[in-house]
Amino acid sequence: MQITLRVNGVQRTAEAEPRTLLVYFLREQLGLTGTNIGCDTSSCGACTVHVDGESVKSCTMLAAQADGLSITTIEGLADGEQLHPMQRAFQENHGLQCGYCTPGMVMAAVSLLDENPTPTEQEVRLGLEGNLCRCTGYHNIVKAVLACAAEQSGSTAGSGASA
Amino acid sequence: MSVMGTRVQRREDPAFLTGANRYTADLDEPLLAGALHVHFVRSTIAHARITEVDVSEAAAASGVVAVYTAADTVAADDLDPFPVAIPGMIPDALARPWIAGEVVRFVGEVVAAVVAETREAAQDAAELVVVDYEPLEAVVDPVEAARDELLLFPDHGTNTALEVPFGHSGDALFEGCEVVVDRTVVNQRLAVCPLEPRAMAVTWHDGRLVVFMSTQAPHGVRNRLAGIYGLEPEQVRVVAPAVGGGFGAKINVQADEGLLPWIARRLGRPVRWAETRGESMVSMPHGRGQVLRVEIGGGRDGTVGAYRLTVLQDAGAYPSMGAFLPFMTRTMAPGTYAFPKVECNVKAVMTNTTPVEAYRGAGRPEATAAVERALDLFAAEIGMDPVEVRRKNLIAADAFPYTTPTGAVYDVGDYAGALDAALEAAGYDELRAEQRARREAGERLQLGIGVSLYVEITAGPAGNQGEYAKVTLHRDGSVAVYTGSSAHGQGHATSWAMLAHELTGIPMERIEVIAGDTDRVPEGHGTFGSRSLQLGGSAVWTATEQVVEKARQVAAELLEAAPADVVLDTDRAAFHVAGSPSVVKTWAEVGAAGDIAGPIGEAPTGQPIEAALTFTADNATFPFGAHVAVVEVDTETGRVELRRIVTCDDAGRILNPMIVEGQRHGGIAQGVAQALYEEVRYDADGNPLTANLADYAFVSAAELPAFELVPLETPTPVNPLGAKGIGESGAIGATPAVQSAVVDALAPHGVTHLDMPLTPERVWRAMTTV
């Protein structure tokens, strides 16, 4: 069947079997391999993307269900060469090692701050419970998310806008 | 200005953070065009005779190119048997078949390989393979397996895969001891769980075997595959693209991986394979899996007189590296303690379970957990504070190098210093006071405090094979560093650039680091056993020193000065005559001139300046530390919450504190996970109960606190960097500290020991039944 999505701001159309999961569609039909697969029980969160602005594990959704929707993957998060503040915070705080969980973790973290711009450490930990990482012990991931929150709430507080 | 010891951010990160990096499953190299997909059909029964494998329906399915069974691999005249892990040590009779044909010995063993045009077609057809099993009784518990009542390999006559007696003096060992404690503790089996499961893509091209693989050791894979397929190592190219974690499970070549080149050659097409997590949980080697009997004796003053450790290793169905883990356990059996008498005997047995290999720590966490438990049990028996007992028995800081009764030569250490630092940071006395107050008040949430000390062995054993580096100065003054280390998250590209920059002054962005491709790096050993900085880094350091020395001689030619008078100013990245800093030769000028071929004083020949070498160390290094864990135990539900973990981990001189802390964090999390959550479980028939990430209690951010790290740097004399390994420390120290803390919280209930993981059920039962 033919599936049309808006991915990272670009309209994309491809053929796929009806059973194709969104994550495979992104990786194999659209060549967006930044989104990784780490499990087969929707436990690890490595495949987290944004669907119409909400974070979704892309293994929990058929590509067909995403037909007509707007998807953002890790490839579409930066503004050209300019890393997203969350990407920058991960680098500055050494929030990644092998990098495999990173795309999903970053997408989940961006979504977490969208919903709660000034989380406590415990709220970050609970908010990222569905994203597994084997390398970092989560310490620097949590630190990165809190640093990004502080930076963004600081800058948005100045402009009076809400994130 | 020196870059050593500074927090240089990782150059690797932008590619990872934007999804631009390619893991093995992501590759779309032209070499892999038209690749077929392999899907392995795996045994669903732990122990059974195979009576029939019917692949006819699968072979006829749409998109299927071939289906292979044991009949094919056994009959093949172009495939030798899969070799045992260490020939001579493991009997050939225990070799793992490429594909099981007569008997399956664990759930997950390969019974057929389906090859198809697409991943989906291969998966679908795999469902059509019909295997008839005649079930056999399974043996899952290593203690039961050791009784040899039920044999995995009847022809072998025993389930023991490896046993090396080191001597056993019976009760005499404890002669003169006022108190002897004897206890058996379990170091449970764990799933390694790198976030990227195994993956491999293979093709034959121009008579060469080309392999892309998620591996920690591309050169080891190259040599192993060359051996299996009768090739010279130069005829095999192994590339490790981005690798999503390894933790010990991606060092070796497993039988399923080793078979892929044969399939690709048979079909004359590239093949690719990426295991699913469910597949990985039963077919990627597991870790740990030891039953340890600890016997400890000493005086009521807290002085230990003798310690005996008896290790029973569960090697899984086919003994490989796991059978050798107990030797590491034996080496580190006495830990940080100056016990006068130590005995350690080891044995590895086979069970109807997934084979066991290395997992972060690989034999050392087991040694530490055992000796730390033994000391706690001894302390409880004589009614002394466990910290006091430890202090009385620690190896003194002035005793190094220290030769242990099990034959290790500890390079350098300050165990009491680490203990003091950790206790002070934790506020040990205050914690004990709070514990007393909560006990007296009968609070529902009781406090437990656990202290562990550890020493481990890295880049060992002594006489290790070292690591390779080549450093090349290009004509434009940029540098290429070729390394045999193969990173999968450790940040070598950043660290090795720091080292080359430190010695040359060349900006780090002008220093390229090349790794993970056996065609570009001719030699290497890889990244495991916490070896990389101390061996691979020392190799880069030493090769760079040689390049600087050659360059200085070239600069002397260009400056028309005596080489002895020429100095390198690393702040300016230029050479000049000492005392005349205004006339300089830059790295680009020296690089353009090239090497001097003959003795000093002859004209430059124009060949690039470079140095290549393998750095070997005379001894392993022995990182050490102390961990303090604080837990709250809910006395009504048995739920344990880790409140704090304070660690002092000494890895010698630190190159990049940010990276070192990251290694500690990861290890601590895995160590905590072993103490509280994770365990690979089987039922009595050998059916896995934790075969996916929904059932396996993989630790998440929500179960962990922020970690409190205390710095300590005791440089080792063993290598020029003064560096020891840091990759595994956290996982070694944290587990016994947390385990001890939970037992400590339960002390008023009369509990002196509980096996891991300390689940609410286990804790609750302990409180209600003792």
Side-chain angles (χ1 to χ4, degrees):
Chain A
M1 63 185 290
Q2 199 176 63
I3 295 165
T4 300
L5 310 172
R6 192 168 182 80
V7 182
N8 300 329
V10 180
Q11 194 90 352
R12 302 283 300 268
T13 299
E15 283 289 327
E17 289 186 48
R19 63 171 164 172
T20 305
L21 296 172
L22 176 58
V23 63
Y24 284 108
F25 186 78
L26 292 171
R27 288 176 52 82
E28 294 175 359
Q29 269 73 34
L30 303 185
L32 293 168
T33 53
T35 303
N36 294 322
I37 300 170
C39 73
D40 34 28
T41 46
S42 302
S43 307
C44 80
C47 66
T48 305
V49 299
H50 293 173
V51 179
D52 281 351
E54 298 263 338
S55 94
V56 168
K57 291 179 179 179
S58 59
C59 68
T60 60
M61 192 174 193
L62 295 167
Q65 289 175 291
D67 189 53
L69 303 183
S70 179
I71 314 287
T72 307
T73 69
I74 193 69
E75 289 95 338
L77 195 61
D79 182 7
E81 291 294 294
Q82 193 70 31
L83 291 180
H84 184 279
M86 187 64 78
Q87 292 170 314
R88 221 172 47 236
F90 266 65
Q91 175 164 25
E92 287 168 358
N93 292 282
H94 190 32
L96 65 150
Q97 291 182 28
C98 84
Y100 201 79
C101 77
T102 307
M105 195 68 81
V106 167
M107 298 308 283
V110 168
S111 180
L112 188 151
L113 291 195
D114 281 348
E115 290 169 24
N116 180 0
T118 54
T120 63
E121 182 197 327
Q122 201 51 29
E123 285 169 339
V124 173
R125 289 184 177 276
L126 290 170
L128 296 178
E129 192 176 8
N131 289 75
L132 300 178
C133 168
R134 203 56 160 173
C135 295
T136 65
Y138 307 100
H139 183 103
N140 284 342
I141 291 174
V142 174
K143 202 168 141 192
V145 177
L146 290 172
C148 185
E151 186 197 315
Q152 288 191 322
S153 62
S155 59
T156 52
S159 67
S162 72
Chain B
M1 205 180 70
S2 176
V3 74
M4 306 293 275
T6 65
R7 295 175 176 271
V8 175
Q9 286 184 19
R10 297 205 320 172
R11 57 169 57 187
E12 294 91 334
D13 290 358
F16 284 120
L17 285 162
T18 55
N21 253 342
R22 296 282 168 132
Y23 297 89
T24 299
D26 303 339
L27 296 175
D28 60 356
E29 319 297 297
L31 272 176
L32 298 175
L36 296 166
H37 294 255
V38 176
H39 187 92
F40 292 107
V41 181
R42 296 181 183 275
S43 171
T44 53
I45 297 188
H47 199 193
R49 203 174 304 287
I50 298 174
T51 52
E52 192 189 353
V53 183
D54 181 354
V55 302
S56 55
E57 205 180 337
S62 163
V64 171
V65 176
V67 183
Y68 297 110
T69 66
D72 302 298
T73 52
V74 169
D77 54 11
D78 58 348
L79 185 66
D80 291 333
F82 184 59
V84 292
I86 303 187
M89 294 288 278
I90 300 284
D92 286 342
L94 306 181
R96 183 170 173 173
W98 288 110
I99 297 178
E102 293 167 14
V103 175
V104 290
R105 297 186 176 85
F106 70 98
V107 171
E109 185 164 11
V110 172
V111 291
V114 178
V115 192
E117 296 288 349
T118 65
R119 186 173 45 76
E120 292 89 347
Q123 278 176 349
D124 289 350
E127 299 288 326
L128 304 174
V129 173
V130 180
V131 185
D132 279 344
Y133 296 106
E134 185 185 301
L136 299 168
E137 208 178 327
V139 58
V140 176
D141 176 6
V143 175
E144 195 189 323
R147 288 200 282 266
D148 281 341
E149 287 161 9
L150 196 153
L151 297 177
L152 269 77
F153 294 84
D155 293 345
H156 181 58
T158 173
N159 287 325
T160 297
L162 193 63
E163 181 172 24
V164 182
F166 291 98
H168 194 284
S169 51
D171 291 344
L173 188 71
F174 298 101
E175 215 166 291
C177 292
E178 291 176 89
V179 176
V180 179
V181 182
D182 181 349
R183 182 96 202 199
T184 296
V185 304
V186 175
N187 205 284
Q188 82 271 28
R189 177 185 283 249
L190 299 175
V192 180
C193 288
L195 214 63
E196 181 202 24
R198 295 183 297 155
M200 193 167 169
V202 173
T203 190
W204 293 84
H205 184 73
D206 286 344
R208 295 181 79 213
L209 172 59
V210 183
V211 172
F212 302 88
M213 184 175 179
S214 182
T215 176
Q216 299 173 231
H219 295 86
V221 171
R222 177 192 67 182
N223 298 344
R224 179 84 161 165
L225 290 176
I228 289 171
Y229 289 97
L231 303 168
E232 294 302 319
E234 298 74 40
Q235 292 174 279
V236 182
R237 178 187 183 192
V238 177
V239 179
V243 173
F247 309 108
K250 293 180 181 171
I251 299 172
N252 292 333
V253 176
Q254 305 299 328
D256 45 14
E257 295 163 331
L259 189 61
L260 294 175
W262 180 76
I263 295 175
R265 191 167 62 187
R266 280 232 147 179
L267 298 175
R269 291 186 49 187
V271 298
R272 54 202 313 165
W273 166 73
E275 69 180 357
T276 64
R277 178 63 64 182
E279 195 178 8
S280 185
M281 293 301 279
V282 295
S283 64
M284 174 181 276
H286 292 158
R288 310 279 191 271
Q290 287 188 1
V291 179
L292 304 125
R293 182 178 174 194
V294 297
E295 297 165 86
I296 187 166
R300 295 207 168 269
D301 66 347
T303 311
V304 173
Y307 175 60
R308 181 187 289 139
L309 178 65
T310 307
V311 182
L312 181 64
Q313 172 75 50
D314 180 354
Y318 296 96
S320 55
M321 209 158 85
F324 298 89
L325 295 179
F327 293 104
M328 296 285 262
T329 309
R330 183 178 188 279
T331 300
M332 298 316 302
T336 54
Y337 306 104
F339 299 152
K341 291 187 284 180
V342 177
E343 275 183 11
C344 179
N345 283 289
V346 303
K347 171 163 145 167
V349 296
M350 295 168 286
T351 58
N352 290 114
T353 61
T354 298
V356 170
E357 291 197 2
Y359 172 51
R360 203 169 199 160
R364 294 99 89 200
E366 297 89 327
T368 302
V371 75
E372 293 299 300
R373 284 279 71 221
L375 280 167
D376 277 356
L377 289 162
F378 181 66
E381 187 66 26
I382 61 173
M384 189 177 277
D385 183 282
V387 170
E388 267 323 293
V389 172
R390 284 171 169 78
R391 274 193 204 288
K392 281 180 182 287
N393 293 285
L394 286 177
I395 297 166
D398 60 4
F400 297 93
Y402 180 89
T403 303
T404 72
T406 51
V409 182
Y410 294 172
D411 53 343
V412 62
D414 180 7
Y415 305 150
L419 179 62
D420 289 339
L423 290 175
E424 191 191 333
Y428 185 70
D429 293 337
E430 294 80 358
L431 288 168
R432 286 286 175 208
E434 187 187 343
Q435 181 183 52
R436 272 195 301 276
R438 289 203 199 187
R439 281 181 182 170
E440 281 160 18
E443 287 187 25
R444 174 174 167 172
L445 297 180
Q446 287 294 319
L447 210 61
I449 305 145
V451 177
S452 77
L453 282 132
Y454 71 88
V455 57
E456 63 132 336
I457 178 170
T458 62
N464 63 71
Q465 298 164 302
E467 191 52 274
Y468 172 88
K470 182 173 84 171
V471 174
T472 303
L473 174 66
H474 294 310
R475 289 179 190 285
D476 64 358
S478 67
V479 165
V481 173
Y482 298 83
T483 173
S485 301
S486 191
H488 37 286
Q490 294 86 354
H492 296 165
T494 301
S495 297
W496 288 194
M498 289 172 73
L499 294 172
H501 165 75
E502 178 71 16
L503 290 172
T504 62
I506 295 168
M508 276 185 273
E509 56 271 21
R510 303 265 295 154
I511 300 168
E512 186 190 6
V513 177
I514 295 132
D517 182 341
T518 61
D519 270 11
R520 300 192 70 194
V521 185
E523 294 172 45
H525 290 285
T527 293
F528 47 86
S530 302
R531 73 202 303 276
S532 290
L533 179 58
Q534 52 189 318
L535 297 178
S538 292
V540 170
W541 183 261
T542 310
T544 308
E545 281 181 332
Q546 292 184 5
V547 164
V548 169
E549 183 50 32
K550 287 183 186 181
R552 207 167 60 83
Q553 293 173 10
V554 174
E557 284 290 328
L558 300 176
L559 289 162
E560 295 177 357
D565 296 337
V566 173
V567 294
L568 169 63
D569 180 347
T570 52
D571 285 343
R572 297 162 73 196
F575 294 88
H576 63 80
V577 175
S580 307
S582 55
V583 181
V584 300
K585 290 295 166 188
T586 64
W587 278 104
E589 288 170 295
V590 172
D595 202 355
I596 47 171
I600 292 165
E602 291 187 6
T605 63
Q607 293 302 309
I609 294 173
E610 69 180 18
L613 55 85
T614 293
F615 177 86
T616 52
D618 293 335
N619 191 9
T621 59
F622 294 83
F624 64 91
H627 287 203
V628 179
V630 183
V631 300
E632 267 179 355
V633 174
D634 186 327
T635 52
E636 291 187 12
T637 64
R639 182 171 182 273
V640 176
E641 189 177 334
L642 178 66
R643 299 306 306 268
R644 294 176 65 195
I645 181 141
V646 182
T647 85
C648 178
D649 302 297
D650 187 309
R653 188 167 288 123
I654 291 171
L655 173 59
N656 184 331
M658 181 190 82
I659 287 175
V660 167
E661 287 163 13
Q663 287 295 313
R664 291 168 69 183
H665 292 153
I668 293 165
Q670 291 178 3
V672 172
Q674 173 169 20
L676 296 181
Y677 306 111
E678 297 186 15
E679 178 178 35
V680 170
R681 292 187 293 123
Y682 290 91
D683 71 10
D685 297 323
N687 296 305
L689 303 176
T690 50
N692 58 55
L693 292 187
D695 293 331
Y696 187 76
F698 191 127
V699 70
S700 85
E703 286 106 29
L704 294 166
F707 307 136
E708 302 171 52
L709 306 189
V710 181
L712 188 67
E713 287 187 59
T714 313
T716 179
V718 166
N719 61 64
L721 300 176
K724 311 170 202 170
I726 191 61
E728 295 159 288
S729 299
I732 295 169
T735 306
V738 175
Q739 183 182 19
S740 179
V742 176
V743 173
D744 180 59
L746 301 177
H749 297 267
V751 176
T752 56
H753 174 73
L754 269 185
D755 279 324
M756 305 178 290
L758 296 156
T759 59
E761 181 185 345
R762 201 169 260 176
V763 170
W764 182 82
R765 282 187 192 282
M767 285 187 295
T768 52
T769 57
V770 172

